[in-house]
Amino acid sequence: MDLALAIDIGGTKLAAGLVTEEGEVVRSATAPTPTASDAEAVFDVVRGLLDAVRAPGRSGPTERNGGPSGPTERSDGPVVVCGVGCGGPMTGGGEAVSPLNIRTWRDFPLRARLGSSTGLPTFVDNDAKALALGEGWKGAAADERDFIAMVVSTGIGGGIVLDGRLLDGADGNAGHVGHVIVEPDGRLCACGARGCLEAEASGPSIAAATGRPAIEAGPEVVARTGRLVGRAVASVANLLDLSLAVVAGSVALGFGAPFFVAAQEELDARARLDFSRGARIVPAGLGADGPLVGAAAVGWRGAGRL
């Protein structure tokens, strides 16, 4: 059975895995995103993860190897494509990536470097767009033709599916909901604007505002974060005539039910048009495997097999 080499590149964590055409993760490895000032230091960790999942048994990053009993037969299939989800912004096809939360990567030639390292056809997209592909394929948005998928974590991103088609935009950056303004004249965002959703509701922004890690946030902060996400989703629902938002990421899922209750209440209050009333915001369905399943979906889509 053919496999995709899936890579997820985030501001806090890097991951790689092997994923079947059915969306099953059969092997994976993770490592913290380096904070070094050298762009090559980050890529070296990515390369180590690739080695770990393609040649199991080596010491190194944290691995999951086909479950508790070891690799399955499926993990021995040929790896035929590489799919990547990476924080943005980026140029078309991920030829040059500049993730706001990986400051050493500015115009980093990710697609070419990975293609050279793996020897595989390589396809790169925004990590939240990758999530949208994965959730529409095997997750909470399966069989839905119109939805937004969001990551609320170290950064906040989104991917939009309309009429069953993932929106790309001129350079592949469509759906960047993290830079919808939710608090006019609010906190300064890494993008240079003020009041972006990412500047108000991401993990680092919560920590900066409260002086405590987001995981330690109290009920008021959790509720406010949910309201801001619901506010952004309402704008998207009103603009694009969609009725479902699927939300993943360590902040949203870590905050749990109180976050989603607050988000839904705000969405209900602000999506009042006939076509947007009743829009729903729900947790992503793929859980911890979502980023790798999404990255694999980028690869399978690029290869014309999704």
Side-chain angles (χ1 to χ4, degrees):
M1 178 173 294
D2 290 348
L3 298 169
L5 176 60
I7 303 168
D8 176 58
I9 296 174
T12 300
K13 184 186 71 174
L14 306 173
L18 299 179
V19 183
T20 70
E21 288 185 89
E22 285 74 41
E24 179 186 358
V25 180
V26 297
R27 184 178 297 140
S28 65
T30 64
T33 304
T35 58
S37 58
D38 180 7
E40 290 303 318
V42 180
F43 191 73
D44 285 345
V45 175
V46 173
R47 198 154 36 200
L49 292 170
L50 302 183
D51 290 344
V53 297
R54 297 187 81 179
R58 295 179 43 164
S59 60
T62 303
E63 288 189 46
R64 185 182 78 197
N65 192 11
S69 61
T72 66
E73 288 185 7
R74 293 185 182 186
S75 67
D76 295 329
V79 180
V80 299
V81 69
C82 177
V84 186
C86 178
M90 61 184 64
T91 61
E95 296 294 344
V97 302
S98 302
L100 293 181
N101 292 301
I102 303 179
R103 296 184 182 278
T104 59
W105 277 12
R106 289 296 174 265
D107 294 323
F108 188 80
L110 183 61
R111 185 169 183 259
R113 292 292 301 277
L114 285 172
S116 176
S117 293
T118 65
L120 297 169
T122 299
F123 302 92
V124 180
D125 212 332
N126 180 276
D127 54 358
K129 289 173 64 189
L131 175 73
L133 283 176
E135 288 291 328
W137 179 28
K138 295 291 181 180
D143 301 323
E144 296 282 345
R145 291 184 56 80
D146 304 282
F147 66 93
I148 180 172
M150 295 177 61
V151 177
V152 182
S153 186
T154 305
I156 297 179
I160 295 169
V161 173
L162 287 182
D163 299 324
R165 182 174 65 87
L166 179 68
L167 300 187
D168 289 318
D171 284 320
N173 295 298
H176 224 317
V177 69
H179 299 279
V180 169
I181 305 300
V182 293
E183 289 281 24
D185 302 318
R187 294 178 58 82
L188 181 65
C189 183
C191 76
R194 286 191 175 274
C196 296
L197 180 62
E198 182 165 301
E200 301 286 342
S202 67
S205 70
I206 292 169
T210 65
R212 302 165 61 187
I215 195 172
E216 297 177 6
E220 291 184 2
V221 173
V222 171
R224 177 180 184 270
T225 304
R227 287 195 301 272
L228 293 176
V229 171
R231 187 175 302 170
V233 170
S235 294
V236 174
N238 288 332
L239 177 67
L240 296 179
D241 189 9
L242 52 80
S243 59
L244 177 65
V246 176
V247 183
S250 60
V251 171
L253 299 182
F255 284 174
F259 166 90
F260 284 96
V261 169
Q264 186 66 59
E265 289 176 350
E266 186 75 3
L267 177 57
D268 291 342
R270 296 184 182 271
R272 306 298 299 165
L273 296 166
D274 287 343
F275 62 81
S276 62
R277 188 180 295 118
R280 297 177 296 125
I281 184 165
V282 302
L286 292 172
D289 284 341
L292 289 179
V293 173
V298 171
W300 292 128
R301 178 195 189 211
R305 293 168 67 166
L306 181 67

